[in-house]
Amino acid sequence: MKHRRISKRRAVIAGAGVVALVGAGVTLQTANASEEAPGFTVKALSATAAGSLASDLVEDLGAGTAGAYYDADSKTLVVNVLDEAAAQGVREAGGKARIVQNSLVELKSARETLSDKATIPGTSWAVDPVTNKIRVTADRTVDSAEWAKLSGVVKSLGSKAVLKRTAGEFKPFVAGGDAIHTGGGRCSLGFNVVKDGEPHFITAGHCGEAGSQWSDQQGGAPVGEMVDSQFPGNDFALVKYTAETGHPSEVNLYNGSAQQIAQAGEATVGMQVTRSGSTTQVHDGEVTGLNATVNYGNGDIVEGLIQTTVCAEPGDSGGSLFAGDTAIGLTSGGSGDCTSGGETFFQPVPEALAAFGAEIG
């Protein structure tokens, strides 16, 4: 494998509390009421810097915040808040404050209702901080009876959720960076990492089971063994290198060059991201939702995913999602393809690293 890549998750926001912050969508009650308050300067930020600021604000303001997202056009962080006191704190830190209606607690309750009453194969739901709603999506396999059931549950949530249909079918992208092979299957390497001082790489959990052997060539000698795999629930796996081979901390850009990866970070709604995979190579898109739950069918439900507009196809599974030198996510699944487009979901990298006790390297 010549090049290795790394994935990343929403904009860089560290910690579970921040994920909740950025992930929780908030409705636009008084959308622009406090974005341009006199006497305060809104800072122009990179997506990564906006993620760091969001992390600091959620720690300082706690329950007063209700989600955040990155406005790529103005290069600013927009923070949803529940009252004027929290809005003041956001302004003082250089962000845009927006007073909204739905709290994180209310949105979490809405997600729990969906889990309890609408666990239907071919559906997903994710928090959208731009609209302050839970965005519920049904794929083409959801029949009329299931659609009616789903519609009823969403309607019962009032302004906290919205339902839409997608033309594709949600499924893991089984069979992408560089290709990795096991038996008759193919996936993509996500990022090279270090665990206990030894070189490993991470990929999607649905690609294989612990103990499986992996090669960088179809039918080639093994270069690694999968030591841990988590799917469903999560979708990440750890492979330990067992042969002498290069393992640079970079992502293959399929143009003769590579993107160096220096760190892992959280995704933020509005963040521009890039995916590399062995089937469709390199494609760009935007983060549209956080903390997404996807029901792939057959009991395969994965939670805590990043939702994006980046296309992907079978074989891209496990591949890198990144923003500059920051690893964001690992390709899980979605609908559509790179001809017609679609929706895709990614396992956040920071969560995988924490579970394995590994780091980018």
Side-chain angles (χ1 to χ4, degrees):
M1 294 177 249
K2 296 180 181 178
H3 301 291
R4 308 291 187 234
R5 52 189 189 185
I6 289 187
S7 71
K8 174 179 181 180
R9 154 186 173 173
R10 304 182 184 179
V12 180
I13 293 182
V18 178
V19 172
L21 163 73
V22 175
V26 183
T27 40
L28 319 179
Q29 182 183 13
T30 53
N32 299 311
S34 39
E35 289 184 1
E36 299 178 357
F40 295 94
T41 300
V42 177
K43 295 179 180 178
L45 303 167
S46 67
T48 300
S52 296
L53 176 58
S55 179
D56 292 340
L57 285 171
V58 73
E59 181 177 353
D60 292 342
L61 302 176
T65 58
Y69 64 92
Y70 182 63
D71 185 331
D73 291 334
S74 63
K75 299 187 183 304
T76 56
L77 175 71
V78 181
V79 181
N80 298 324
V81 296
L82 301 178
D83 54 43
E84 184 58 32
Q88 187 79 354
V90 171
R91 297 186 199 112
E92 290 174 351
K96 288 185 179 180
R98 188 176 69 176
I99 298 177
V100 296
Q101 177 181 355
N102 296 325
S103 69
L104 294 180
V105 172
E106 291 171 318
L107 292 172
K108 180 181 179 180
S109 176
R111 290 177 57 88
E112 292 172 347
T113 298
L114 287 163
S115 295
D116 292 342
K117 299 182 178 181
T119 299
I120 298 170
T123 60
S124 72
W125 46 81
V127 287
D128 180 6
V130 178
T131 62
N132 184 225
K133 297 178 185 291
I134 303 296
R135 187 170 60 251
V136 184
T137 306
D139 72 13
R140 66 187 179 192
T141 68
V142 175
D143 62 27
S144 57
E146 293 169 329
W147 176 266
K149 176 181 178 180
L150 187 60
S151 297
V153 175
V154 171
K155 184 176 180 180
S156 73
L157 297 173
S159 64
K160 299 179 186 66
V162 62
L163 175 63
K164 70 171 187 173
R165 172 83 78 169
T166 184
E169 177 181 348
F170 292 141
K171 54 187 176 182
F173 291 125
V174 182
D178 289 332
I180 50 175
H181 303 264
T182 182
R186 172 172 61 87
C187 276
S188 297
L189 187 148
F191 300 95
N192 280 316
V193 301
V194 175
K195 174 180 170 60
D196 299 329
E198 299 292 333
H200 295 67
F201 68 80
I202 53 176
T203 186
H206 72 261
C207 287
E209 298 180 349
S212 57
Q213 301 292 312
W214 291 83
S215 174
D216 55 0
Q217 301 178 53
Q218 186 173 3
V223 299
E225 178 178 338
M226 189 168 285
V227 296
D228 196 352
S229 177
Q230 298 188 28
F231 178 84
N234 297 311
D235 196 0
F236 49 70
L238 180 69
V239 177
K240 182 178 181 179
Y241 283 106
T242 56
E244 291 295 329
T245 184
H247 40 79
S249 186
E250 60 186 35
V251 175
N252 189 352
L253 297 179
Y254 287 91
N255 61 1
S257 67
Q259 170 65 56
Q260 296 296 313
I261 299 298
Q263 61 192 338
E266 303 289 347
T268 298
V269 169
M271 172 184 262
Q272 300 299 304
V273 288
T274 302
R275 179 194 56 74
S276 177
S278 62
T279 299
T280 59
Q281 301 185 359
V282 179
H283 289 272
D284 299 322
E286 180 179 321
V287 175
T288 58
L290 300 178
N291 200 21
T293 296
V294 184
N295 190 329
Y296 291 125
N298 300 314
D300 293 337
I301 301 173
V302 184
E303 300 178 336
L305 300 178
I306 304 162
Q307 186 168 358
T308 80
T309 61
V310 187
C311 71
E313 297 180 11
D316 289 326
S317 280
S320 317
L321 183 73
F322 57 99
D325 68 354
T326 303
I328 300 298
L330 303 169
T331 306
S332 176
S335 66
D337 54 39
C338 288
T339 299
S340 60
E343 297 172 284
T344 48
F345 301 92
F346 296 82
Q347 167 68 54
V349 167
E351 181 183 4
L353 295 179
F356 295 138
E359 60 185 14
I360 294 297

